[in-house]
Amino acid sequence: MPLTPADVQRALELVKLPASGQSLPASGRLTEIRIDGSKVMFAIAIDPTEARAMEPVRAAAENAVRGLPGVTNVLVGLTAERPAGEVRQGAPGPRAQTAAHNAPQGRPLGLPGIHRVIAVASGKGGVGKSTTACNLAIALAAQGLRIGLLDADIFGPSIPKLFGLSAKPEQTPDKKIVPLEAYGVKVMSIGFLVDEETPMIWRGPMVMSALTQLLREVLWGELDVMVVDMPPGTGDAQLTMAQHTPLAGAVIVSTPQDLALIDARRGVGMFQKVNVPLLGIVENMSTFTCPNCGHVSHLFGHGGARREAEKLGVPFLGELPLSMEVRERSDAGKPVVATLPGSQEAGIYRQMAAQVWARLSGEGVDRRQPPRIVIE
């Protein structure tokens, strides 16, 4: 018989809360339990001050559900989100909640073996953020650095397509996920775990559960830099990632026109609010050169991101053209930095990567031999 939410709840009856001794289902803290084949996903509602104390409960819940017949993957997260107006037994009153909300945020938990984490973000979708993250990661790897790329865009994972990866990641006996690898970069995406055409109709807690597992239950090994392809916008998922991931900096991608720059400002403002350094702004689709006559057009305007960077006091990393070559190679899973290294676009990405690494590392970088990349 197929697994049901009731089966999961029965397994979770054995998981007790440390303070009250209540079972997890009886506590009213469980969010909706979602089952996708052999995968089970849910979150546990907590108050922000309980995060450290409830981590053993989260781990126990994960182990309890993983022991059910037919279950191969479990996503369990801790979330402070709960439906408006809901009051749990034993939950702090309004004054305590206000104090917790105004208290300084604790330091994000470190990721073992990962020395620096950077976000590639945008205020809106469709500006080339994932393409930039992909090529930036490969350009960093070409400098001899150990690079990982986490696709945190749960609702629109593009990284598998951009890297030409479609295999399912393997799992170790202790249920750790082994990332895939291409062009010298270790890659992990929710797109490897769900069918390409499956709609991701998930609430905030489920998104954070998935991101938590992709961050902390993947065998990343030693990395000099992890590049995180962030979801577009400045909503709950983006803010939570920024607050709870030890980000060393962020790169903002925008197109030149005012409509995109309005959203880019919001992205800059979000990272500034959570004290994440801005590594720079990228202007994508800056120019278009006609392949027939060579005429250069500014389809979306030109120079808007540079002016915005100067206005905000943020480094400007450079301009990327709207390129048919980049589009075709991205669709084919052959990123331009790896497969057309002599192109103008690949050179711009390498310059951006050099600027980013310089800001992250300072002087005296001990670089390793670059990985061998086969150009097809």
Side-chain angles (χ1 to χ4, degrees), residues 9 12-13 15 17 21-30 89:
Q9 292 230 10
L12 293 174
E13 289 288 348
V15 179
L17 300 189
Q22 279 184 310
S23 70
L24 191 52
S27 71
R29 292 174 178 258
L30 286 178
Q89 183 178 0

Side-chain angles (χ1 to χ4, degrees), residues 203-359:
R203 295 182 184 273
M206 296 311 309
V207 172
M208 291 319 303
S209 296
L211 291 178
T212 297
Q213 182 170 18
L214 295 180
L215 272 170
R216 306 187 185 280
E217 298 186 21
V218 172
L219 289 177
W220 291 106
E222 290 284 328
L223 297 179
D224 295 302
V225 182
M226 175 189 281
V227 179
V228 180
D229 180 21
M230 295 280 280
T234 55
D236 178 68
Q238 296 85 343
L239 184 60
T240 304
M241 278 288 292
Q243 288 178 320
H244 297 288
T245 305
L247 293 177
V251 173
I252 302 293
V253 181
S254 179
T255 47
Q257 77 269 36
D258 289 344
L259 190 61
L261 289 169
I262 290 171
D263 294 311
R265 289 183 203 115
R266 295 191 181 104
V268 169
M270 180 191 73
F271 286 111
Q272 289 176 333
K273 190 167 185 176
V274 295
N275 298 316
V276 173
L278 270 297
L279 299 172
I281 294 179
V282 173
E283 180 168 295
N284 202 22
M285 308 181 198
S286 183
T287 58
F288 174 72
T289 302
C290 176
N292 297 317
C293 68
H295 176 71
V296 177
S297 301
H298 300 143
L299 300 181
F300 301 103
H302 180 256
R306 180 189 293 273
R307 291 189 294 272
E308 195 66 30
E310 292 171 353
K311 176 182 173 182
L312 297 171
V314 174
F316 182 68
L317 295 179
E319 302 172 354
L320 285 157
L322 180 61
S323 166
M324 184 71 75
E325 191 72 60
V326 171
R327 197 276 300 167
E328 289 176 345
R329 287 177 181 267
S330 296
D331 284 349
K334 299 178 179 180
V336 67
V337 169
T339 62
L340 199 64
S343 64
Q344 174 196 12
E345 296 83 1
I348 295 171
Y349 281 122
R350 286 196 297 271
Q351 291 172 11
M352 291 179 179
Q355 293 182 70
V356 166
W357 179 241
R359 292 191 175 98

